[in-house]
Amino acid sequence: MHSGRAGLRFVAGHRGWLAAVVLALACQGSKQEPAPQGKGGEAGEATENKPVVDQKIASAMAAAARSETKTPGAAEGQPPPDGILGEEAAQRELPRGSPAQLVLGASGAEPRVRLGAPRPASGPSGTLQLSYRSGGSVMPTVDLEFKAKSEGAAGAGGAAAASPSLRFSIVNASPAADQPGRLPENARAEIAKLRGSSIDFLSAPAGGVQGERFQVAGNNPALQPLVQGSAVALAPLAIPYPETPVGAGAYWMVKSRETAEGADVIAYRMVKLTALANDIAQLDVSTRRYLITPRIALEGLPPHQVRQFKSEGSAKLSLPVGAPYPTSAEVQEQFATLVTPDESPQQALPVQSALEAKLTITP
């Protein structure tokens, strides 16, 4: 899960690609000063086994943080220009069922602290305000109350557990006070049917999405995008943290298999610790996702092939030192997809969606 031998093997095999993704992530996020170096002038510290920093990745991260240059054009060893990996390439990047992989770029300045904590069986509760739009359709902004429960992450012999490791259950749903337009008279009653929906994140004990599934209550297919969007908004709560202490200026990359737009993706996240004060770590997260197979699953979309896929996102988290989950988060995600309907192979149909979410979490 964390940086170490597995992470270094991953980096060694995908340096060119990962550097390009890192550059793209840094350029889409907020511009930061170069991360402070650790003692001895190194970009990071050693773990119990070996150094956690691949110098090529650290250099790419530092250069990306200083540069405003746009992502270079695709070339050999770089991400696919159409945003579609394919099954074979996805297996090479991160085999199905593998835990998220973390590579630490820099440990940051003193003082340094250990982030994260063991996740108790009684997960967090909180509220999620979600605004979602897809194509020309703008869905109602909803206020969702959720409760989470952490369950076993491994079964007998280390096999994946039959039950999810972290389940978010929606216990109440209602329209938000501010809406993008006038709601139909039955909107409140329909939105209330989301109560009982759930989102499951499969992960290793230390965190990081390993797989997802969700269930939509209410027997109304039109509600499905709200649950799908909620899964995307909640995913940053499951990111892993470095095993070694980190301080302001630290940054690391997380690679995981997730679900977005109803399809399997591989997500790359650059996480930056921008400030550490009063035992609260402020984290900026920049995300890019790559589609594994050339299809997405959105309500109302006909059978199709995806020709282009682009997914970019950002999040800001407030994480108390020693806590397993942040206390608040703001998330923005954008998806741009170009599809060809199976029945009209000459037609190119653009599909765009976006979401904004605000989370407040209580232990």
Side-chain angles (χ1 to χ4, degrees):
M1 165 69 67
H2 282 53
S3 48
R5 294 180 180 176
L8 289 171
R9 286 199 297 270
F10 150 63
V11 173
H14 301 280
R15 282 176 175 155
W17 186 337
L18 188 57
V21 174
V22 166
L23 180 60
L25 287 170
C27 290
Q28 83 183 47
S30 57
K31 305 298 183 294
Q32 303 291 336
E33 293 299 318
Q37 291 184 335
K39 295 179 180 179
E42 295 296 328
E45 292 187 339
T47 61
E48 295 84 349
N49 297 320
K50 60 169 63 178
V52 299
V53 176
D54 179 280
Q55 291 302 320
K56 196 161 188 176
I57 224 176
S59 297
M61 284 182 171
R66 293 192 300 266
S67 173
E68 295 187 4
T69 305
K70 294 183 179 180
T71 307
E76 184 178 356
Q78 292 187 353
D82 60 4
I84 305 168
L85 283 171
E87 289 281 4
E88 185 176 345
Q91 280 294 108
R92 290 195 302 267
E93 277 295 291
L94 191 64
R96 189 177 299 276
S98 298
Q101 295 183 347
L102 183 153
V103 177
L104 181 64
S107 297
E110 297 282 0
R112 299 189 180 113
V113 296
R114 177 73 182 270
L115 296 180
R119 296 176 173 175
S122 177
S125 301
T127 59
L128 166 63
Q129 184 172 98
L130 178 69
S131 174
Y132 183 88
R133 62 184 184 273
S134 179
S137 300
V138 180
M139 301 199 70
T141 301
V142 295
D143 287 335
L144 306 175
E145 296 179 20
F146 63 84
K147 289 185 178 180
K149 181 180 181 182
S150 181
E151 302 182 8
S163 57
S165 61
L166 186 61
R167 166 168 288 185
F168 291 88
S169 298
I170 297 176
V171 297
N172 194 29
S174 61
D178 294 330
Q179 293 293 332
R182 184 173 180 178
L183 297 180
E185 292 184 2
N186 64 338
R188 179 173 293 274
E190 290 300 311
I191 291 172
K193 293 178 180 179
L194 284 169
R195 180 176 181 177
S197 300
S198 62
I199 299 162
D200 299 337
F201 290 136
L202 306 174
S203 71
V209 177
Q210 188 172 346
E212 297 177 38
R213 57 177 177 258
F214 61 86
Q215 181 177 356
V216 182
N219 195 29
N220 183 350
L223 298 175
Q224 181 172 312
L226 293 175
V227 179
Q228 287 181 334
S230 296
V232 172
L234 290 167
L237 300 187
I239 61 173
Y241 303 105
E243 292 180 346
T244 54
V246 290
Y251 47 85
W252 59 96
M253 172 72 78
V254 178
K255 180 173 66 170
S256 57
R257 277 190 178 242
E258 302 180 10
T259 301
E261 301 290 83
D264 292 336
V265 300
I266 290 185
Y268 295 83
R269 286 185 174 86
M270 183 194 285
V271 185
K272 301 179 183 179
L273 201 169
T274 58
L276 179 63
N278 301 320
D279 285 334
I280 302 290
Q282 303 295 334
L283 304 177
D284 280 3
V285 183
S286 298
T287 304
R288 283 212 172 187
R289 300 176 182 84
Y290 294 89
L291 197 62
I292 295 177
T293 58
R295 290 183 182 271
I296 58 176
L298 293 178
E299 179 64 25
L301 193 65
H304 62 276
Q305 291 287 322
V306 174
R307 293 169 52 178
Q308 296 280 342
F309 179 81
K310 185 176 182 180
S311 168
E312 297 182 352
S314 63
K316 293 183 179 294
L317 313 178
S318 293
L319 176 70
V321 174
Y325 301 102
T327 54
S328 64
E330 295 185 3
V331 181
Q332 293 183 330
E333 301 285 350
Q334 294 184 342
F335 301 90
T337 310
L338 187 66
V339 306
T340 297
D342 292 349
E343 293 184 353
S344 304
Q346 304 304 318
Q347 181 182 4
L349 178 65
V351 180
Q352 295 184 334
S353 59
L355 67 86
E356 296 183 3
K358 294 183 179 180
L359 292 98
T360 302
I361 301 99
T362 56

